[in-house]
Amino acid sequence: MMRFRQIEAFRYVMLCGTTAAAAGEMNVSQPAISRLISDLEYALGFTLFDRRKGRLKPTLEATEFFSAVDESFLGLERLSSMAEQIRTKQPKQLKISCTPSLAASLLPLAMAEHKKYHPEERVIIYTDNIGPLINKLQSNSVDIAIGLQLPDLVGINSEPIGDARYVFAAHKDHPLAAKAVIRPEDLIGETILSVISDKHPNYWSKLNDSLEGVSDQIKKTIDIDAAHTGYSMIAAGMAVAVIEPFSARVWAGAGVITRPFEPAVSYGYDLAFPTGIRHHPSVHSFAETVKKVARGMPEFVG
């Protein structure tokens, strides 16, 4: 049977890298950490670390197990933080998860407006791709999230903030920069960035479908999991892409141009909230500010 102390020891070894460092964090001896890890392995029925020449190397099973452990500790840390706020009468924190492209475009504008009315509020911002964003919502680790439209998921409520039409992006010296509108047939022979499919690959079906007619005539040799990485590849002349429009404003100074892509590919964006917590008033205020800012951004079409 697993015990909390064993899980805690495992987490510290994973975070610190050695049993000695973990022992220091837990104020116990190094042999005590080793015993806790051995007992946990016995309870789990699989090996967590390869032990070679006195060094510990996490197994694949340990890495997979740690992901669930860390999510659990996020929930515990939230409880501890809440207790501290209640005990010391501190103002509540606003914890936000935001996808990278919106974190560099919409979020700073919304935060500047929000801080006019909540200047003393502490704000914690996590920049997450979709998978971690969903995990934080479902574990009640954040108050609000901003990103791509989510499917119906347990523990999450969402509301739309608008649709964004994806654009063709290339380096300014690319021959296609001379065209006013880009169509699939224009991409024949080009290296096109593709998005790594995570736990929710259907997100990118519209994007993939738009290129289906030329899929055997284009090169997909670079996969990305974040738009800013894609734009950096484009700025270096490594590829072109049909990609979200928000990051374009950041990369325009690096020689990246965008053009309309036909047929249009649009994706919805949402505000999302965990259902398992009572939201403090500034969450609602911030949500309204985000929607107001989004309405004024040219990247949103509705």
Side-chain angles (χ1 to χ4, degrees), residues 31-203:
I33 293 292
S34 298
R35 179 58 187 270
L36 286 167
I37 296 297
S38 295
D39 289 346
L40 178 59
E41 289 177 321
Y42 179 80
L44 292 172
F46 55 80
T47 301
L48 294 169
F49 297 97
D50 291 328
R51 296 161 173 83
R52 298 176 184 175
K53 298 181 180 179
R55 302 179 69 88
L56 298 181
K57 181 180 179 181
T59 62
L60 291 175
E61 291 82 358
T63 302
E64 187 175 353
F65 184 58
F66 177 70
S67 178
V69 167
D70 212 34
E71 286 178 25
S72 298
F73 270 83
L74 278 173
L76 289 172
E77 289 170 359
R78 181 179 177 83
L79 290 175
S80 177
S81 176
M82 180 60 68
E84 175 69 14
Q85 291 171 29
I86 294 171
R87 183 169 58 251
T88 61
K89 307 300 181 184
Q90 292 178 353
K92 291 182 181 291
Q93 300 172 345
L94 178 61
K95 292 187 178 182
I96 304 165
S97 176
C98 188
T99 51
S101 58
L102 294 183
S105 54
L106 181 151
L107 187 57
L109 301 175
M111 190 54 59
E113 183 69 15
H114 180 74
K115 277 294 187 178
K116 293 177 183 178
Y117 306 98
H118 302 272
E120 302 302 321
E121 181 180 58
R122 184 185 180 195
V123 178
I124 300 173
I125 299 170
Y126 300 97
T127 305
D128 292 314
N129 289 332
I130 290 297
L133 180 148
I134 289 172
N135 289 338
K136 284 186 172 68
L137 286 167
Q138 291 183 321
S139 63
N140 295 340
S141 300
V142 294
D143 299 297
I144 190 170
I146 315 169
L148 277 164
Q149 188 176 60
L150 298 177
D152 291 333
L153 295 169
V154 174
I156 299 174
N157 288 333
S158 59
E159 56 184 84
I161 57 175
D163 292 341
R165 180 173 172 175
Y166 278 36
V167 296
F168 169 80
H171 191 271
K172 64 181 181 179
D173 294 332
H174 193 281
L176 288 176
K179 294 181 69 71
V181 177
I182 306 299
R183 294 179 171 81
E185 57 269 25
D186 297 322
L187 303 180
I188 292 173
E190 297 290 343
T191 298
I192 311 295
L193 297 176
S194 56
V195 181
I196 296 172
S197 297
D198 57 8
K199 293 189 295 185
H200 305 280
N202 288 336
Y203 274 146

Side-chain angles (χ1 to χ4, degrees), residues 242-257:
V242 180
I243 197 168
E244 56 82 12
F246 302 101
S247 302
R249 61 172 71 191
V250 178
W251 287 93
V256 175
I257 59 93

